[in-house]
């Protein structure tokens, strides 16, 4: 089996791509999937017919969508085409109606048998299945398929478009092939073969809570009653009256069917329409609903909850919510199976629009594990998933099928599971809801709140607000206590050097030390009646409201705890806990204050610090500038405005430009160019923004210099870059295939804290092994640089500009210059010295006097987008 995906650009480009693929149906059946977010119905059919003309005999399978998945990446406003050619297996497709001539929906059983007759063979292993939102018996259809076509795995869903709403389920999607299109049809592709093997699974992240209830009456998709009570009112009592003003809250709290408790059933809440407005009596398929409910009030506006499929009376339901830790666990379990699947020639992937809208970081994150694979798919309105031997209709799910006729593997991205920080942001709306409810509970002196709401909130909090590994509250609980209970005095505790323990001590010894550390802190906090929180790993926090304890007493207690932890016995590893007491805390200022405290503790080499959270806060103008720079950075990333500039480095011996330093610039929508001093610290403070612009910069410099033989370039790398596994792997991959790896110099910023020297040295050694070079940048600006030059085997040493600029005016700085030059002579290491910020001839002459190898500055070259030699 062969699979190739590509974005549709134009018919001319499409014809050229198919010509290059050299497809021939005589060599095996061909499936061509088209998922489009840019074509109208007739345009899509025209495209399918054009493809049919290019590849006669191919099976074309087309759906509308709101976004596509191409090579494991999500893209808006695109059309993706995926071509799969079988070796020995077969493909059969069919576009069938889901409504009869009288515009009545075909029964699930009848539709299932029609599909079986049209496409299913004796050795069918997988059926790609897409319906449209107008067919509401999709759940029953999928369930019936388990009986009629057992052992056939299914994947797909409900086609959608960009017509998206929080208030109702969209039914504007369509399916198509070269014969036509339908918004009341089903498109299936049966993939068969004796050598074909398939694995399918799904991830939801859903957590079930609360008791089981029964659906006691329905009206099509509307759940009229639960346990004999009004269904919508029962749901609202469990979520809160906030639903009236924020009906989108229903997306945070789906139901699940008891028999499939890991599959969410999303509902929409409304109190603005009547039954008659939602279910048009003139539509034939609604006639039976009104016949079954002759006494139902048709014109009065009422509270309603509706699913995106017909719900059957007698179904058992439970409440649920979706959160980050469960998403990670579900995806990790699925990824391990996919990664180990032997015949991974083709990967299908589909994700729900609700997941994309409510949990946007989640969708990008879970796809990132497959971004090096040929995964192709799209966003759907609902998914068809297979797991545990059964197919089921799902909502808010990520479904995957991997198949092949021969052994094959992909270069997956398992590092995604080490970078899950962005997922916590997807909990924000859920946590905000809990904060609001808790504030209401705290302010209310009445006991009229529905017991079901209180129980539901407590169940959510037990999952969201408690550490997964420790039976104590987590960081989210700390934020809740700060916001609701006035906990404005927090001590952040962290243990340093834990990453090095495994190289000296057994894992059992590390675990014993960790357990003793955690239990000591828990016991002490409880004895003092403080609240303890587990942030992550060895990081914990202890908090209290200022009205409960004086600052001096709180500080004294924290020092006593630190002293206890410092005490060493032979049973445990000696640890160094850092304590930062932050006073006057809010949810907005805690993290910035703590990070600032950690920087100060590092510079002062102290293990205990007391800091007011408002110390050094930015003024209004600075805050405005910060947010402006965030917008500039995001614009530059989105519009390809991260621009490499190059400054020549002058060889003081040959009097020529020896190589260039690449320097990042950003350009805003008005064409204004920004220097790193404006944006780099802001990007670093947001973490992921820095990762994005750094990755773009490095890739652009690589592309610029990859084929140049006679010019070298240096690239700046911070410690965060070196700790970024994906970026480092890209650097290694590029250098391993580069024609002239010796032309690339990596400048390590000397003034950044180096936490793990072993990791840094491994990076340096690997760069040298691949033929590239290393430079220590900004030498002289930090406090630990002697250790740096002793440990890091660098090819270049760049003196910080703060020394060079004033070396002619300040004797002490000139002495530093002489010291560095003298060290080079006595060390006999083959290292070259570069001086930066050489702005005038006087400085240059001083550098020549001390035998400095290279000079960099405006005297010789100004940074600019083009490579300029001397004299140009």
């Amino acid at each position: 089996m062969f699979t190739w995906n590509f974005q549709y650009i134009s018919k001319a480009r499409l014809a050229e791509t198919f010509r290059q693929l050299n497809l021939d149906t005589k060599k095996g059946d061909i499936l061509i999937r088209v998922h489009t977010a840019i074509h109208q119905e007739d345009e899509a059919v025209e495209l399918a017919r054009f493809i049919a003309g290019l590849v006669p005999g191919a099976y074309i399978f087309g759906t509308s969508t709101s976004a596509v998945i191409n090579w494991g990446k999500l893209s808006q406003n695109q059309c993706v085409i995926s071509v799969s050619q079988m070796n020995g297996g077969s493909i059969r497709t069919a576009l069938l109606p889901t409504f009869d001539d009288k515009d009545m929906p075909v029964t699930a059983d009848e539709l299932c048998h029609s599909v079986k007759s049209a496409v299913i063979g004796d050795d069918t292993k997988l059926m790609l299945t897409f319906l449209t939102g107008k067919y509401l018996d999709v759940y029953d259809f999928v369930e019936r398929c388990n009986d009629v076509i057992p052992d056939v795995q299914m994947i797909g869903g409900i086609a959608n478009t960009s017509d998206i709403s929080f208030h109702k389920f969209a039914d504007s999607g369509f399916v198509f092939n070269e014969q036509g299109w339908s918004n009341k049809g089903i498109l299936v592709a049966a993939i068969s073969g004796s050598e074909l093997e398939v694995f399918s699974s799904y991830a939801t992240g859903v957590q079930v809570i609360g008791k089981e209830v029964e659906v006691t009456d329905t009206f099509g998709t509307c759940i009229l009653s639960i346990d004999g009570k009004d269904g919508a009112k029962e749901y609202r009592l469990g979520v809160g009256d906030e639903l009236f003003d924020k009906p989108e809250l229903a997306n945070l709290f789906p139901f699940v069917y008891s028999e499939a408790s890991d599959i969410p059933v999303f509902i929409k809440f409304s109190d603005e329409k009547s039954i008659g407005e939602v279910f048009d009596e003139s539509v034939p398929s609604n006639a039976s609903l009104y016949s079954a409910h002759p006494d139902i009030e048709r014109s009065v506006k009422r509270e309603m909850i509706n699913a995106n499929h017909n719900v059957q009376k007698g179904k058992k339901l439970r409440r649920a919510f979706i959160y980050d830790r469960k998403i990670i666990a579900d995806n990790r379990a699925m990824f391990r199976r996919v990664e180990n699947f032997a015949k991974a020639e083709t990967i299908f992937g589909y994700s729900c629009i609700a997941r994309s809208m409510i949990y946007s970081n989640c969708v990008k994150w879970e796809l990132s594990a497959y971004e090096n694979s040929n995964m192709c798919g799209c966003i759907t309105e609902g998914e068809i998933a297979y797991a545990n031997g059964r197919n089921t209709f799902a909502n808010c799910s990520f479904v995957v099928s991997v198949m092949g006729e021969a052994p094959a593997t992909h270069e997956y991205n398992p590092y995604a599971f080490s970078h899950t920080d962005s997922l916590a942001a997807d909990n924000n709306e859920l946590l905000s809801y809990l904060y609001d409810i808790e504030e209401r509970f705290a302010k209310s002196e009445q006991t009229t709140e529905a017991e079901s709401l209180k129980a539901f909130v407590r169940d959510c909090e037990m999952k969201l607000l408690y550490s997964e590994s420790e039976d104590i509250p987590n960081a989210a609980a700390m934020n809740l206590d700060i916001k609701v209970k006035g906990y404005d005095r927090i001590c952040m505790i962290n243990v340093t050097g834990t990453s090095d323990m495994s190289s000296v001590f057994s894992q059992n010894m590390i675990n014993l030390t960790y357990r003793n550390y955690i239990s000591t802190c828990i016991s002490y906090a409880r004895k003092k009646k403080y609240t303890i929180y587990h942030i992550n790993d060895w990081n914990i926090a202890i908090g209290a409201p200022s009205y409960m304890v004086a600052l001096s007493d709180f500080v004294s207690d924290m020092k006593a705890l630190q002293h206890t932890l410092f005490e060493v016995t032979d049973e445990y590893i000696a640890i160094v806990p850092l304590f930062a007491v932050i006073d006057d805390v809010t949810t907005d200022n805690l993290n910035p204050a703590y990070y600032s405290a950690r920087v100060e503790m590092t510079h002062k080499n102290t293990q205990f610090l007391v800091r007011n959270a408002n110390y050094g806060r930015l003024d209004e103008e600075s805050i405005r500038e910060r947010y402006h720079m965030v917008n500039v950075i995001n614009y530059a990333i989105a519009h390809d405005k991260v621009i490499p500039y190059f400054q020549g480095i002058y060889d003081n011996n040959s009097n020529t430009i020896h190589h260039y330093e690449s320097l990042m610039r950003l350009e805003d929508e008005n064409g204004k160019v920004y220097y790193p001093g404006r944006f780099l610290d802001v990007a670093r403070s947001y973490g992921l923004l820095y990762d994005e612009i750094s990755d773009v910069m490095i890739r652009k410099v690589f592309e610029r210099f990859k084929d140049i033989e006679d010019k070298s370039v240096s690239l700046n790398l911070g410690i965060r870059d070196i700790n970024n596994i994906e970026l480092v792997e890209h650097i290694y991959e590029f250098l391993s295939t580069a024609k002239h790896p010796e032309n690339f110099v990596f400048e390590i910023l000397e003034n950044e804290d180096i936490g793990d020297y072993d990791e840094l040295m491994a990076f340096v050694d690997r760069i040298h092994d691949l033929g590239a070079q290393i430079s220590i940048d900004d030498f002289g600006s930090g406090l630990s640089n002697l250790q740096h030059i002793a440990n890091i085997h660098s090819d270049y040493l760049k003196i910080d500009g703060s020394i060079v600029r004033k070396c002619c005016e300040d004797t002490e700085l000139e002495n530093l210059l002489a010291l560095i030059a003298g060290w080079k002579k006595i060390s006999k290491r083959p290292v070259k010295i570069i001086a930066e910020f050489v702005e005038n001839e006087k400085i240059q002459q001083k550098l020549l006097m001390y035998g400095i190898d290279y000079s960099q500055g405006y005297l010789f070259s100004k940074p600019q987008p083009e490579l300029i030699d001397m004299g140009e």
Side-chain angles (χ1 to χ4, degrees), residues 273-302:
K273 292 187 176 182
S274 65
I275 285 287
E277 289 175 297
V278 176
F279 298 92
D280 187 346
E281 292 185 64
S282 65
V283 175
S285 57
N286 291 334
S288 60
L289 300 178
Y290 286 103
S291 296
H293 297 81
D295 298 327
I296 195 167
E297 182 58 62
R298 306 183 185 195
S299 58
V300 176
K301 297 185 187 304
R302 58 178 290 167

Side-chain angles (χ1 to χ4, degrees), residues 372-399:
N372 295 323
S373 73
N374 68 11
M375 175 181 281
C376 181
C378 67
I379 297 296
T380 66
E381 189 71 30
E383 301 72 56
I384 296 173
Y386 177 87
N388 304 319
R390 289 186 66 81
N391 298 296
T392 188
F393 177 66
N395 280 278
C396 203
S397 304
F398 175 43
V399 299

Side-chain angles (χ1 to χ4, degrees), residues 69-179:
I69 298 170
N70 186 13
W71 295 102
K73 295 180 180 179
L74 186 67
S75 299
Q76 308 286 336
N77 302 317
Q78 289 188 12
C79 171
V80 65
I81 297 174
S82 180
V83 178
S84 297
Q85 178 153 31
M86 307 293 289
N87 288 334
S90 64
I91 295 169
R92 294 293 180 270
T93 62
L95 176 55
L96 304 171
T98 51
F99 287 76
D100 61 21
D101 295 339
K102 297 180 180 179
D103 205 26
M104 291 292 292
V106 176
T107 66
D109 185 70
E110 183 181 349
L111 182 61
C112 190
H113 281 90
S114 296
V115 167
K116 179 180 180 181
S117 300
V119 298
I120 300 299
D122 293 337
D123 56 357
T124 298
K125 306 291 177 58
L126 180 69
M127 186 168 73
L128 181 60
T129 308
F130 265 82
L131 301 100
T132 65
K134 294 185 183 299
Y135 186 72
L136 299 175
D137 287 323
V138 56
Y139 184 90
D140 292 337
F141 163 72
V142 177
E143 287 296 309
R144 190 73 184 102
C145 284
N146 288 313
D147 301 322
V148 176
I149 48 173
D151 302 322
V152 175
Q153 299 180 29
M154 298 171 66
I155 188 173
I158 296 178
N160 75 345
T161 64
S162 56
D163 178 18
I164 298 166
S165 170
F166 277 116
H167 302 278
K168 66 182 182 69
F169 291 103
D171 60 1
S172 57
F174 61 92
V175 292
F176 66 93
N177 59 20
E178 72 275 22
Q179 302 299 321

Side-chain angles (χ1 to χ4, degrees), residues 512-650:
L512 285 173
T513 303
Y514 174 79
R515 296 289 348 140
N516 178 68
Y517 161 67
I518 293 292
S519 61
T520 299
C521 292
I522 291 174
S523 298
Y524 187 85
R526 289 174 176 169
K527 182 178 74 173
K528 293 290 183 179
K529 294 183 170 52
Y530 299 142
T531 304
I532 187 169
Y533 310 94
H534 184 237
I535 308 303
N536 57 56
D537 300 327
W538 294 70
N539 300 325
I540 62 173
I542 294 176
S546 56
Y547 62 77
M548 189 183 89
V549 58
L551 178 59
S552 57
D553 292 337
F554 187 69
V555 169
S556 178
D557 288 341
M558 293 304 101
K559 286 183 176 179
L561 174 58
Q562 187 184 50
H563 180 75
T564 300
L565 294 172
F566 269 134
E567 293 178 353
V568 180
T569 69
D570 293 339
E571 299 177 74
Y572 308 110
I573 304 167
I575 60 174
V576 181
L578 305 181
F579 279 56
V581 175
I582 314 295
D583 195 36
D584 205 10
V585 160
T586 68
T587 53
D588 293 326
N589 66 23
L590 175 58
N591 283 337
Y594 175 53
Y595 295 144
S596 175
R598 283 295 305 272
V599 170
E600 185 175 341
M601 292 170 75
T602 299
H603 285 302
K604 290 183 176 180
N605 193 25
T606 182
Q607 285 79 46
F608 197 101
L609 185 74
V610 181
R611 163 68 60 82
N612 187 286
N614 295 311
Y615 172 80
R617 286 190 66 183
L618 299 175
D619 57 28
E620 184 177 340
E621 184 177 346
S622 299
I623 293 172
R624 191 177 293 112
E625 165 68 8
R626 184 179 184 87
Y627 280 108
H628 169 66
M629 288 317 306
V630 170
N631 289 333
V632 170
I633 295 167
N634 279 316
Y635 177 85
I637 292 169
H639 296 85
D640 193 27
K641 295 298 181 181
V642 179
I643 304 170
Y645 274 47
F646 303 95
Q647 184 176 31
I649 298 176
Y650 182 75

Side-chain angles (χ1 to χ4, degrees), residues 458-479:
R458 297 294 178 255
D459 285 345
C460 288
E461 290 178 349
M462 285 301 295
K463 294 296 182 181
L464 278 169
L465 304 181
Y466 274 77
S467 167
E468 192 171 24
S469 57
E470 309 301 328
D471 188 23
I472 56 176
N474 60 14
M478 179 178 68
N479 288 330

Side-chain angles (χ1 to χ4, degrees), residues 322-552:
I322 295 171
Y323 73 116
D324 59 340
R325 294 203 302 263
K326 193 65 165 58
I327 290 171
I328 295 168
D330 284 2
N331 273 280
R332 183 180 283 117
M334 179 171 70
F335 178 79
R336 286 172 180 162
R337 297 288 302 274
V338 171
E339 187 181 31
N340 293 321
F341 187 73
K343 294 184 176 182
E345 292 184 296
T346 300
I347 307 179
F348 295 167
Y350 297 98
S351 188
C352 188
I353 185 61
R355 203 172 185 83
S356 182
M357 292 171 66
I358 308 167
Y359 309 101
S360 58
N361 292 311
C362 158
V363 174
K364 295 173 185 176
W365 171 79
E366 59 195 358
L367 282 174
S368 69
Y370 304 92
E371 54 179 39
N372 295 323
S373 73
N374 68 11
M375 175 181 281
C376 181
C378 67
I379 297 296
T380 66
E381 189 71 30
E383 301 72 56
I384 296 173
Y386 177 87
N388 304 319
R390 289 186 66 81
N391 298 296
T392 188
F393 177 66
N395 280 278
C396 203
S397 304
F398 175 43
V399 299
V400 173
S401 286
V402 54
M403 66 177 180
E405 297 175 289
T409 59
H410 289 270
E411 292 186 9
Y412 299 107
N413 178 29
Y415 301 120
F417 295 97
S418 302
H419 298 81
T420 60
D421 294 348
S422 64
L423 290 183
D426 282 337
N427 284 342
N428 287 345
E429 192 171 356
L430 183 55
L431 289 170
S432 293
Y433 161 81
L434 294 178
Y435 294 162
D436 292 342
I437 295 295
E438 283 291 354
E439 280 190 306
R440 199 171 82 205
F441 287 168
K443 293 175 182 177
S444 175
E445 297 180 358
Q446 302 176 357
T447 58
T448 56
E449 295 287 352
E451 287 303 317
S452 61
L453 173 58
K454 291 183 177 179
F456 178 65
V457 169
R458 297 294 178 255
D459 285 345
C460 288
E461 290 178 349
M462 285 301 295
K463 294 296 182 181
L464 278 169
L465 304 181
Y466 274 77
S467 167
E468 192 171 24
S469 57
E470 309 301 328
D471 188 23
I472 56 176
N474 60 14
M478 179 178 68
N479 288 330
L480 181 65
D481 286 347
I482 292 171
K483 186 170 183 177
V484 176
K485 298 181 180 179
Y487 277 48
D488 54 353
R489 193 156 284 160
I490 302 290
C491 180
M492 305 294 289
I493 306 171
N494 180 37
V495 177
T496 63
T498 56
S499 60
D500 298 327
M501 288 182 180
S502 58
S503 61
V504 180
F505 301 101
S506 68
Q507 190 59 48
N508 184 55
M509 188 68 167
I510 296 171
N511 292 340
L512 285 173
T513 303
Y514 174 79
R515 296 289 348 140
N516 178 68
Y517 161 67
I518 293 292
S519 61
T520 299
C521 292
I522 291 174
S523 298
Y524 187 85
R526 289 174 176 169
K527 182 178 74 173
K528 293 290 183 179
K529 294 183 170 52
Y530 299 142
T531 304
I532 187 169
Y533 310 94
H534 184 237
I535 308 303
N536 57 56
D537 300 327
W538 294 70
N539 300 325
I540 62 173
I542 294 176
S546 56
Y547 62 77
M548 189 183 89
V549 58
L551 178 59
S552 57

